[in-house]
Each structure stands twice: as C-alpha cells, then as structure tokens.
Amino acid sequence: MTSPADKETPKTSNFLRQIIEHDLAKGTYSGRQWGGSPGDGAHHAAGQPDPAKVRLRFPPEPNGYLHVGHAKSICLNFGLARDYGGVCHLRFDDTNPEKEDTEYVDSIKDAVQWLGFDWHNGGPLEQEVNLYQASDYFDFMYRAAEYLIETGHAYVDEQTADEMRHNRGDFVKPGVNSPFRNRTPAENLARFREMRDHRHADGAMVLRTKIDMASPNINMRDPAIYRIRRAHHHNTGDKWCIYPMYTFAHPIEDALEQITHSFCTLEFEDQRPFYDWLLDRLAEGGLIATPHPRQYEFARLNLTYVMTSKRKLAQLVYDHKVSGWDDPRMPTIVGLRRRGYTPEAIQLFAERIGVTKSDSWIDYSTLEGALRDTLDPIVPRAMAVLDPVKLVLTNWDEVMGADKLDDCSAPVHPHHEDMGKRHFKIGKEVWIERTDYEEVPPKGFFRLFPAHTNSSGQAIAASKVRLKYGHVIECAGAVKDAAGKITEVHAKLIPDTKSGTPGSDAIKVKGVITWVGVSNAVEAEVRLYDRLFTAEHPGTGDKDFLEELNADSLKTVTAFVEPSLADVPAGMRFQFERHGYFVTDLINHKADKPVFNRITGMKDSWVK
C-alpha cells in the first residue's frame, strides 16, 4: 500500500535544476578537492577529489522554530542533492549570540529528520556527517577580516550609527566616505585587534569593507562586517566580544564547506554582488578553494492565510494567542506535525509548487490537497459523531429482541481488503449527528425528517435512511425539552434491511447517515482546528495582524467514536467518515481519555 508521495514522482524541471545540470555538463566543479571536513584552501588542496557531484546546504539560524517556508527549503536543498548525486549540509548559522539557543538547535535537527532527510551520507561519503555550525568558523572569519585589512579592503570606522546611516546615502544620493576610511592598514589592524581585546565599548566602532560609497547598490557601500557585542555564545562561550555580520559570515561558511550552489530566497538578491566580491578577494589571497560557491535566489513561500514572520509568530506564543510553538494551528513544522500533517504530504506540496524567481501567493488549499492525496490511500476509516443526539429505534425490542445487540462490520479501508475489517454493534439506541434531523427539511435534505406538510400544503411522508453498514430506518419524530431543544430522535427499524444481507437493498433510500452505537461508543475530546487567520494575506496591510485572527480556529467538542478507536496510540491518523481526517494528539491523547485533532476536512470549506 503506497501513497502518491511514496511513488517515483516525475521531477518538474525548474531554473535551479537547469543551473545544476548546466554546471554538471560543463564540469564547473568537477576538479574540486574535498578535505573531508570544512576548511580553508590549503585544507581542501590536500584532500581527495570530491565524491559529491554537488554540495548544497540548509543554513537556518537557531533562533526559533522552523515553519512551512523552511520546510520548502529543506525539501528543495536536500532533494536536489539527492537527485544529483550530491550531499546537503545542515549548518546552524549561529553568528548572533543574543538570539540563539540549544532548544532551537535540537528542534531544527528533529524537523529535518522528521521530514525524511539527514545530514549523514551513504556510499562513498558514508563517513561524512555534514552537521556544522558557523561559530566553528569564527577563527577563520577573524583571519579573513585581518587579511582584508592588510590588503586595504577593510577599515575600522568610528562614526556613530546615525552618522553612518546618514553618510550612506540613499537610492538617489551617493554615500559619503567615512573620515576614517583612509587610515593605513597598520592603523586599522591595530584598532581591530583592540576591538577583539575588549578595549572598546559595544557599538563604539565597526569593521567595514572598502568597496564603493557611490555604488548604485547600497549594499556595496562599504558594508559593516564586524561589530563589538559582549554576549555569551551558546557554542563559543565568552571567547569573543566581536562577532561577524551575517552578510560576511554566510559566504565564508559556504566557501569553507565547498558548497557548489548556494540557494537562498529573493531578499538576498541585492547581497549577491557582495557575496561574489568577498569570495573573489579571499580566493585572490589563497584563503579559500576555487572555484568558489555561487549564490542563486528563488522566491520564498507565500502561503495564503498563513503568517511566517518569526517575530509575529513569537508574539502569538508569548501573548498566549496560541498554546505554544507546537499549537496545531501554527505554521511551524512542530505545529504541522502535531496537527497531523505527514512528511510525505509536505514533500508532495513542495514538489507541486516548485520554485520560481518571482514572488507569488500559493493558495492554502494546495497544501491541504497534498495532505488529502497522501492520507486518503492509506489511513483507516472510522465513524464518529461530533455533535451527538440520541436516536431511539422505538420498535427495536419488537423486531430484534429486548436488549439485543446486532453485529455490524465495515472495511478498515474501502480499497484495501488486506487491512481487514472493523467491528461494532448496533442496538436500540445510537448516536447520530444533530444536523442529521430536520423537523421541516430544506430542499435537497435527504436525511431524517418526520411526516409533515410543506409550505405548499402538500403532505410529505417521513424519510427513510440507511444507518451506514446497518439497517434502513424510518423517521418518527423527535422529543424536545422545555426550551425546544431536541433531546432524542425517534425512528422505526425496517426489518430485513441490514447491509450485506439478502434483500437488504429492496428498499431504496437517498440518505445514508453515520452513527455510533450507544452501547459501545468511546467518548472522546475532538478539537476542530481551522485556519488561524481570516485574512487571505495576514499582516500585509495596515490592520493589526492580531485583529485578523480567526475566532473559530479552534472548537472543542465532546464526541463519540466507534469502538475500533479504543486504545489507539498517539499520532494515529484516521478518516472520520463524512467529517475529514483526524489524528490522536501527540501530547494530550491517552488511551483512557482520547483526544483527536482535526487535520483537515473532506474538502476545502474556504473555497470562494
């Protein structure tokens, strides 16, 4: 039994695949050496020819939980490496000591592996464990910074932050050279070492590259590459009080790891000239191997009804708008996992949406569609009543015998006999959905209603429906309480109509309803999750994104499920017939107190 994601899905060509295929055909990186681990140019020159045809990387910052956008990048980079005989490194870009935490490191590793990927490699690379962290390269980054100073490509700037901002210029006005720009390399080197040796206050000065203050690309106007920041680092402790800027660190990390193709999202497109400039300078000095990596940009994932800003997601958590990072309404990978999404569904989603160079919005239904397409072929079926009202079969004792329970069965999966059958009992009382009864039915309603006269004065006979996998019944009305609320529905069982028995189809009915027998029903908490936001593009306009939260994103009900669901473990997925796909909660579910989360409905309820 396989899902669509298990089968060999034809890979759709895209511009990133074309870039890789062009480089492989041309032999762009065929002469690369690999020293067995990240290192400088000399380290790799002493190594062996790299058995990996391409080297890619997934480089998250360990300052939060990964979300569905990161999942796309994981599938992209690890998937391309797999498809082209290469490897993908997992690298923690931990250059910002104030925002990083080992909790996030562990969660990222777990997310990558849950999605079906790994940083361990087989074949000729079986000894490689491509798990790295940028902070392990701090010594080289410092060495690279001193090299840039010595060669006249960097200087220490002591302007204030406001002065630097003002003198940087804008898109119309060119920048103004810093008064410290023409210091000698020796002066700059001495000043930089003072920064390293704790002799200056945080923010007192920065190290900047010397490129072109009149460049039309503002990112090339002498960008800062080192700043003073006294902060404890989760990996290096208190060794450093100066830290590299991300735009400086990232290209170096790629180069030391011999990355061939550095794929990132479009917001880094304007940084590419600096990426190339920096690696060209370091290659000139023999500090890194050549050919050095190249950066290519693709459009980030924009998913309707979803917010992926780390800051705003954190606000939802800290303001208790959600129960945590793993709240099933959150777009985090831990949230999707708890919601009931599968790795196969997310991989299929990533393959279907592909990659482009232009920003666009992907409809949320595409993600849900991939989920349904992977769950439908494999998950067991079950009946559940989410808004229960008791149905009493008033002639049961007469037809079947007092206190008699009748055995019923149904396939675990309608298309997989090998999955077996599930068994349950029907008796005088069963639970049905409250919405399956209407005293005066609307047009097209084929479930339970009593005999009545319609608005045209026409006499309408009581409805007959089939209890799925059971008998045909005829509605006899309902009992209401003093407030007019229905407390019981009454019906009569029609003999010799049990599903699967001779003559059971003699009476034709238009309506079939699901049910759970009162005698062996399992009471369960069911959490009906829906989209977290009502706005199609939350947080993109002038409105506070908190005002766009969906007040109905979670409804909790007490339901009854069939006995086949008794004692199921956490993380088990089912299709509740008529209702959708559900999963036993990873955290709160207990065998004696079951909790089910709705993953998604049978179809898109938000379709316009």
Side-chain angles (χ1 to χ4, degrees):
M1 179 173 53
T2 59
S3 73
D6 295 325
K7 300 175 183 177
E8 184 60 35
T9 304
K11 301 298 187 292
T12 303
S13 181
N14 57 59
F15 77 98
L16 297 183
R17 287 184 176 275
Q18 291 167 3
I19 288 168
I20 292 176
E21 290 165 4
H22 175 268
D23 285 340
L24 290 176
K26 190 178 177 182
T28 303
Y29 296 100
S30 59
R32 284 179 310 120
Q33 302 286 104
W34 171 245
S37 61
D40 61 13
H43 172 77
H44 290 302
Q48 301 296 321
D50 193 347
K53 293 182 179 179
V54 295
R55 283 189 182 269
L56 310 182
R57 83 290 175 271
F58 174 63
E61 295 179 70
N63 61 359
Y65 283 83
L66 301 186
H67 54 63
V68 64
H70 296 110
K72 172 188 173 179
S73 185
I74 291 170
C75 293
L76 174 69
N77 283 284
F78 280 92
L80 288 174
R82 173 199 62 209
D83 293 346
Y84 290 101
V87 297
C88 184
H89 299 181
L90 174 60
R91 178 207 307 147
F92 294 106
D93 233 319
D94 57 348
T95 56
N96 188 343
E98 295 178 327
K99 294 185 177 181
E100 287 139 14
D101 196 296
T102 53
E103 173 190 354
Y104 301 132
V105 170
D106 293 339
S107 73
I108 291 168
K109 290 161 67 175
D110 181 66
V112 170
Q113 290 184 313
W114 178 75
L115 280 169
F117 302 104
D118 208 330
W119 46 90
H120 300 83
N121 297 280
L125 298 166
E126 60 183 3
Q127 301 303 315
E128 269 189 47
V129 180
N130 297 119
L131 178 65
Y132 306 115
Q133 45 195 0
S135 55
D136 287 337
Y137 311 144
F138 280 172
D139 287 336
F140 179 88
M141 291 176 190
Y142 179 83
R143 173 184 158 199
E146 286 208 346
Y147 168 78
L148 292 176
I149 293 171
E150 291 167 348
T151 54
H153 293 303
Y155 63 98
V156 173
D157 193 350
E158 298 180 43
Q159 294 182 98
T160 66
D162 287 340
E163 289 171 337
M164 286 182 62
R165 191 178 302 110
H166 179 266
N167 290 334
R168 191 185 188 194
D170 52 34
F171 291 108
V172 177
K173 183 175 63 177
V176 176
N177 286 348
S178 165
F180 303 96
R181 197 173 194 266
N182 293 324
R183 277 175 168 165
T184 66
E187 290 174 309
N188 282 310
L189 189 60
R191 210 64 166 155
F192 186 53
R193 289 175 176 173
E194 290 175 7
M195 290 171 59
R196 177 199 64 189
D197 295 338
H198 299 261
R199 293 179 58 183
H200 297 285
D202 287 11
M205 54 192 69
V206 296
L207 182 67
R208 300 176 71 177
T209 52
K210 187 187 293 186
I211 305 177
D212 181 6
M213 288 300 293
S215 171
N217 184 341
I218 293 180
N219 296 290
M220 296 295 282
R221 295 180 186 177
D222 294 7
I225 59 174
Y226 259 95
R227 79 283 200 200
I228 305 172
R229 182 168 294 179
R230 287 169 175 81
H232 183 82
H233 192 282
H234 76 96
N235 181 39
T236 60
D238 297 317
K239 177 180 178 180
W240 297 94
C241 69
I242 55 172
Y243 288 96
M245 306 295 283
Y246 177 82
T247 51
F248 175 73
H250 178 238
I252 290 176
E253 295 156 19
D254 285 348
L256 296 180
E257 294 178 19
Q258 284 288 66
I259 299 303
T260 57
H261 304 81
S262 181
F263 298 138
C264 55
T265 46
L266 281 174
E267 59 261 37
F268 295 100
E269 184 173 25
D270 289 341
Q271 296 287 353
R272 185 177 358 116
F274 179 72
Y275 183 103
D276 291 337
W277 179 91
L278 175 61
L279 296 188
D280 285 344
R281 300 292 80 73
L282 299 182
E284 289 168 359
L287 273 72
I288 61 172
T290 56
H292 63 65
R294 295 293 176 187
Q295 175 179 300
Y296 304 93
E297 305 84 21
F298 63 94
R300 61 176 290 172
L301 173 62
N302 294 310
L303 192 61
T304 59
Y305 300 99
V306 167
M307 170 83 66
T308 55
S309 161
K310 281 186 181 180
R311 178 181 62 82
K312 292 178 179 178
L313 291 178
Q315 186 176 344
L316 293 176
V317 174
Y318 300 139
D319 288 354
H320 305 290
K321 303 298 184 183
V322 294
S323 62
W325 290 101
D326 65 347
D327 187 299
R329 295 166 291 180
M330 290 281 275
T332 53
I333 294 177
V334 288
L336 291 169
R337 184 177 181 179
R338 189 174 175 189
R339 177 74 171 260
Y341 275 79
T342 64
E344 294 80 9
I346 295 174
Q347 289 183 41
L348 182 60
F349 169 69
E351 182 64 31
R352 283 179 174 175
I353 62 175
V355 289
T356 67
K357 280 192 70 75
S358 58
D359 279 323
S360 61
W361 285 89
I362 304 296
D363 195 88
Y364 191 83
S365 63
T366 307
L367 176 61
E368 291 185 320
L371 176 65
R372 293 188 191 96
D373 287 347
T374 53
L375 292 183
D376 181 68
I378 62 172
V379 298
R381 272 46 171 176
M383 288 196 293
V385 178
L386 307 185
D387 185 14
V389 65
K390 188 178 289 185
L391 170 68
V392 179
L393 301 176
T394 56
N395 64 337
W396 179 271
D397 292 350
E398 175 186 340
V399 175
M400 303 296 295
D403 301 322
K404 167 79 174 180
L405 295 177
D406 196 18
D407 292 324
C408 296
S409 65
V412 173
H413 194 287
H415 305 301
H416 298 291
E417 291 185 10
D418 56 306
M419 294 179 69
K421 289 185 174 292
R422 57 193 212 267
H423 301 277
F424 38 89
K425 295 181 182 293
I426 187 171
K428 183 176 183 176
E429 297 179 336
V430 300
W431 297 111
I432 63 170
E433 296 291 344
R434 186 172 294 276
T435 54
D436 283 342
Y437 176 83
E438 288 284 351
E439 198 162 61
V440 180
K443 185 177 180 180
F445 185 84
F446 299 117
R447 286 164 281 165
L448 290 168
F449 54 83
H452 63 283
T453 301
N454 66 15
S455 58
S456 301
Q458 180 183 6
I460 304 298
S463 67
K464 294 183 179 69
V465 303
R466 179 175 294 280
L467 296 176
K468 196 168 189 180
Y469 312 118
H471 305 260
V472 174
I473 62 174
E474 182 177 2
C475 186
V479 177
K480 300 179 181 179
D481 62 15
K485 182 179 180 180
I486 294 173
T487 57
E488 284 184 359
V489 176
H490 288 181
K492 292 183 178 181
L493 182 144
I494 299 177
D496 303 322
T497 57
K498 182 180 176 183
S499 295
T501 62
S504 62
D505 58 352
I507 297 179
K508 304 298 183 183
V509 297
K510 291 184 177 180
V512 178
I513 63 174
T514 50
W515 56 278
V516 175
V518 170
S519 64
N520 57 4
V522 176
E523 186 175 304
E525 177 182 320
V526 176
R527 299 169 180 173
L528 301 173
Y529 289 106
D530 205 342
R531 300 181 188 182
L532 187 55
F533 292 96
T534 57
E536 191 170 13
H537 304 147
T540 58
D542 296 331
K543 196 172 183 180
D544 183 349
F545 78 99
L546 294 178
E547 296 178 11
E548 299 173 322
L549 285 169
N550 180 10
D552 295 322
S553 62
L554 170 58
K555 293 180 180 179
T556 302
V557 300
T558 299
F560 293 104
V561 300
E562 67 176 61
S564 67
L565 301 187
D567 303 321
V568 295
M572 288 288 291
R573 298 170 183 86
F574 300 89
Q575 184 195 101
F576 286 177
E577 298 188 39
R578 293 175 60 194
H579 294 299
Y581 296 91
F582 291 75
V583 64
T584 43
D585 188 74
L586 290 171
I587 307 298
N588 303 128
H589 175 77
K590 303 273 190 306
D592 60 344
K593 192 178 180 182
V595 178
F596 291 87
N597 298 335
R598 180 170 63 189
I599 314 173
T600 189
M602 296 296 290
K603 60 183 181 179
D604 182 10
S605 62
W606 288 65
V607 65
K608 294 179 179 178

